Short mmCIF file of all heavy atoms in Angstrom, two decimals:
data_model
loop_
_atom_site.label_atom_id
_atom_site.label_comp_id
_atom_site.label_asym_id
_atom_site.label_seq_id
_atom_site.Cartn_x
_atom_site.Cartn_y
_atom_site.Cartn_z
N ILE A 1 45.02 -18.07 28.10
CA ILE A 1 43.84 -17.77 27.28
C ILE A 1 42.99 -19.05 27.17
O ILE A 1 43.49 -20.12 26.98
CB ILE A 1 44.25 -17.32 25.85
CG1 ILE A 1 45.03 -16.03 25.94
CG2 ILE A 1 43.02 -17.11 24.98
CD1 ILE A 1 44.30 -14.87 26.50
N GLU A 2 41.69 -18.85 27.31
CA GLU A 2 40.74 -19.96 27.13
C GLU A 2 40.11 -19.88 25.75
O GLU A 2 39.83 -18.79 25.24
CB GLU A 2 39.66 -19.95 28.23
CG GLU A 2 40.26 -20.24 29.62
CD GLU A 2 39.20 -20.42 30.68
OE1 GLU A 2 37.97 -20.34 30.35
OE2 GLU A 2 39.56 -20.64 31.84
N PHE A 3 39.92 -21.04 25.14
CA PHE A 3 39.39 -21.14 23.80
C PHE A 3 38.05 -21.88 23.85
O PHE A 3 37.90 -22.90 24.52
CB PHE A 3 40.36 -21.95 22.91
CG PHE A 3 41.72 -21.33 22.78
CD1 PHE A 3 42.66 -21.39 23.83
CD2 PHE A 3 42.08 -20.67 21.60
CE1 PHE A 3 43.88 -20.82 23.69
CE2 PHE A 3 43.31 -20.08 21.48
CZ PHE A 3 44.23 -20.15 22.53
N LYS A 4 37.09 -21.33 23.11
CA LYS A 4 35.75 -21.92 23.05
C LYS A 4 35.36 -22.06 21.59
O LYS A 4 35.25 -21.05 20.87
CB LYS A 4 34.76 -21.07 23.79
CG LYS A 4 33.30 -21.52 23.69
CD LYS A 4 32.37 -20.57 24.39
CE LYS A 4 30.91 -20.99 24.26
NZ LYS A 4 29.97 -20.04 24.92
N LEU A 5 35.13 -23.27 21.11
CA LEU A 5 34.66 -23.52 19.77
C LEU A 5 33.23 -24.02 19.84
O LEU A 5 32.99 -25.14 20.35
CB LEU A 5 35.55 -24.52 19.05
CG LEU A 5 35.15 -24.91 17.63
CD1 LEU A 5 35.25 -23.69 16.70
CD2 LEU A 5 36.03 -26.02 17.10
N ALA A 6 32.29 -23.23 19.37
CA ALA A 6 30.86 -23.54 19.55
C ALA A 6 30.21 -23.84 18.19
O ALA A 6 30.56 -23.26 17.15
CB ALA A 6 30.14 -22.35 20.20
N ASN A 7 29.22 -24.72 18.23
CA ASN A 7 28.39 -25.03 17.07
C ASN A 7 27.38 -23.89 16.93
O ASN A 7 26.46 -23.74 17.74
CB ASN A 7 27.70 -26.36 17.27
CG ASN A 7 26.77 -26.70 16.11
OD1 ASN A 7 26.67 -25.97 15.12
ND2 ASN A 7 26.06 -27.82 16.25
N ALA A 8 27.57 -23.08 15.91
CA ALA A 8 26.69 -21.89 15.69
C ALA A 8 25.59 -22.18 14.67
O ALA A 8 24.88 -21.26 14.28
CB ALA A 8 27.53 -20.72 15.23
N SER A 9 25.45 -23.42 14.26
CA SER A 9 24.42 -23.77 13.28
C SER A 9 23.12 -24.17 14.00
O SER A 9 23.04 -24.15 15.22
CB SER A 9 24.90 -24.91 12.40
OG SER A 9 24.93 -26.13 13.14
N THR A 10 22.15 -24.54 13.23
CA THR A 10 20.87 -24.99 13.80
C THR A 10 20.76 -26.51 13.83
O THR A 10 19.71 -27.03 14.21
CB THR A 10 19.70 -24.40 12.99
OG1 THR A 10 19.83 -24.83 11.62
CG2 THR A 10 19.72 -22.86 13.04
N LEU A 11 21.84 -27.21 13.46
CA LEU A 11 21.82 -28.66 13.42
C LEU A 11 22.99 -29.20 14.25
O LEU A 11 23.96 -28.51 14.53
CB LEU A 11 21.95 -29.16 11.97
CG LEU A 11 20.89 -28.68 10.97
CD1 LEU A 11 21.28 -29.11 9.56
CD2 LEU A 11 19.53 -29.22 11.34
N GLU A 12 22.88 -30.49 14.61
CA GLU A 12 24.02 -31.12 15.24
C GLU A 12 25.19 -31.17 14.28
O GLU A 12 25.02 -31.33 13.07
CB GLU A 12 23.65 -32.54 15.68
CG GLU A 12 22.70 -32.60 16.88
CD GLU A 12 22.52 -34.03 17.37
OE1 GLU A 12 22.99 -34.96 16.66
OE2 GLU A 12 21.97 -34.22 18.47
N ALA A 13 26.40 -31.08 14.82
CA ALA A 13 27.58 -31.08 13.96
C ALA A 13 28.72 -31.77 14.71
O ALA A 13 28.82 -31.69 15.95
CB ALA A 13 27.98 -29.67 13.59
N ALA A 14 29.56 -32.47 13.95
CA ALA A 14 30.69 -33.19 14.54
C ALA A 14 31.98 -32.40 14.33
O ALA A 14 32.15 -31.71 13.32
CB ALA A 14 30.84 -34.58 13.93
N VAL A 15 32.89 -32.51 15.27
CA VAL A 15 34.17 -31.86 15.18
C VAL A 15 35.19 -32.75 15.87
O VAL A 15 34.85 -33.51 16.77
CB VAL A 15 34.13 -30.45 15.87
CG1 VAL A 15 33.86 -30.59 17.37
CG2 VAL A 15 35.39 -29.68 15.63
N ASP A 16 36.47 -32.69 15.43
CA ASP A 16 37.52 -33.45 16.08
C ASP A 16 37.61 -33.03 17.54
O ASP A 16 37.70 -31.85 17.86
CB ASP A 16 38.87 -33.22 15.40
CG ASP A 16 38.97 -33.93 14.07
OD1 ASP A 16 38.05 -34.72 13.76
OD2 ASP A 16 39.94 -33.71 13.33
N ALA A 17 37.61 -34.03 18.44
CA ALA A 17 37.62 -33.71 19.89
C ALA A 17 38.88 -32.98 20.32
O ALA A 17 38.85 -32.22 21.27
CB ALA A 17 37.48 -35.01 20.68
N ASP A 18 39.98 -33.18 19.58
CA ASP A 18 41.24 -32.55 19.96
C ASP A 18 41.53 -31.29 19.18
O ASP A 18 42.69 -30.82 19.13
CB ASP A 18 42.37 -33.54 19.81
CG ASP A 18 42.49 -34.05 18.37
OD1 ASP A 18 41.72 -33.60 17.49
OD2 ASP A 18 43.39 -34.88 18.10
N THR A 19 40.54 -30.68 18.55
CA THR A 19 40.75 -29.50 17.73
C THR A 19 41.50 -28.39 18.46
O THR A 19 42.36 -27.74 17.88
CB THR A 19 39.41 -28.95 17.21
OG1 THR A 19 38.80 -29.95 16.37
CG2 THR A 19 39.59 -27.68 16.41
N LEU A 20 41.20 -28.18 19.71
CA LEU A 20 41.78 -27.10 20.49
C LEU A 20 42.98 -27.50 21.32
O LEU A 20 43.57 -26.66 21.98
CB LEU A 20 40.74 -26.47 21.38
CG LEU A 20 39.49 -25.88 20.71
CD1 LEU A 20 38.52 -25.33 21.76
CD2 LEU A 20 39.85 -24.81 19.70
N THR A 21 43.33 -28.79 21.28
CA THR A 21 44.35 -29.28 22.23
C THR A 21 45.57 -29.92 21.63
O THR A 21 46.63 -29.94 22.25
CB THR A 21 43.72 -30.26 23.22
OG1 THR A 21 43.15 -31.37 22.50
CG2 THR A 21 42.63 -29.60 24.05
N ASP A 22 45.48 -30.54 20.45
CA ASP A 22 46.60 -31.38 19.97
C ASP A 22 47.73 -30.61 19.34
O ASP A 22 48.79 -31.18 19.04
CB ASP A 22 46.10 -32.47 19.03
CG ASP A 22 45.65 -31.93 17.68
OD1 ASP A 22 45.57 -30.72 17.52
OD2 ASP A 22 45.37 -32.77 16.78
N GLY A 23 47.53 -29.30 19.07
CA GLY A 23 48.61 -28.50 18.49
C GLY A 23 48.65 -28.50 16.99
O GLY A 23 49.40 -27.73 16.40
N HIS A 24 47.82 -29.33 16.33
CA HIS A 24 47.83 -29.39 14.87
C HIS A 24 46.73 -28.56 14.24
O HIS A 24 46.88 -28.04 13.14
CB HIS A 24 47.71 -30.84 14.39
CG HIS A 24 48.85 -31.67 14.76
ND1 HIS A 24 50.14 -31.51 14.28
CD2 HIS A 24 48.94 -32.78 15.57
CE1 HIS A 24 50.95 -32.40 14.77
NE2 HIS A 24 50.26 -33.20 15.56
N HIS A 25 45.58 -28.47 14.92
CA HIS A 25 44.39 -27.85 14.31
C HIS A 25 44.37 -26.36 14.50
O HIS A 25 43.59 -25.65 13.83
CB HIS A 25 43.12 -28.44 14.90
CG HIS A 25 42.91 -29.87 14.58
ND1 HIS A 25 43.60 -30.91 15.20
CD2 HIS A 25 42.03 -30.48 13.72
CE1 HIS A 25 43.19 -32.04 14.71
NE2 HIS A 25 42.25 -31.84 13.84
N MET A 26 45.15 -25.82 15.41
CA MET A 26 44.96 -24.42 15.84
C MET A 26 46.20 -23.59 15.56
O MET A 26 47.33 -24.06 15.68
CB MET A 26 44.62 -24.37 17.31
CG MET A 26 44.12 -23.03 17.80
SD MET A 26 43.64 -23.16 19.53
CE MET A 26 45.22 -23.54 20.29
N THR A 27 45.95 -22.33 15.20
CA THR A 27 47.04 -21.35 14.97
C THR A 27 46.70 -20.10 15.77
O THR A 27 45.53 -19.69 15.83
CB THR A 27 47.13 -20.99 13.48
OG1 THR A 27 47.11 -22.20 12.70
CG2 THR A 27 48.38 -20.22 13.20
N LEU A 28 47.69 -19.48 16.37
CA LEU A 28 47.49 -18.30 17.22
C LEU A 28 48.52 -17.26 16.86
O LEU A 28 49.72 -17.55 16.70
CB LEU A 28 47.60 -18.69 18.70
CG LEU A 28 47.26 -17.58 19.68
CD1 LEU A 28 45.74 -17.42 19.79
CD2 LEU A 28 47.82 -17.89 21.07
#
């Protein structure tokens, strides 16, 4: 499965670079 986390706002936004990869930020 491929995961895509997109900025859906109208402004720039910061997110942890490893959100989808490090195993701590994500639940499935």
Side-chain angles (χ1 to χ4, degrees):
I1 298 297
E2 294 188 1
F3 298 76
K4 176 184 178 181
L5 179 63
N7 178 3
S9 72
T10 59
L11 302 172
E12 288 188 349
V15 64
D16 285 352
D18 59 2
T19 296
L20 301 179
T21 58
D22 71 351
H24 295 296
H25 294 75
M26 192 176 64
T27 312
L28 186 77

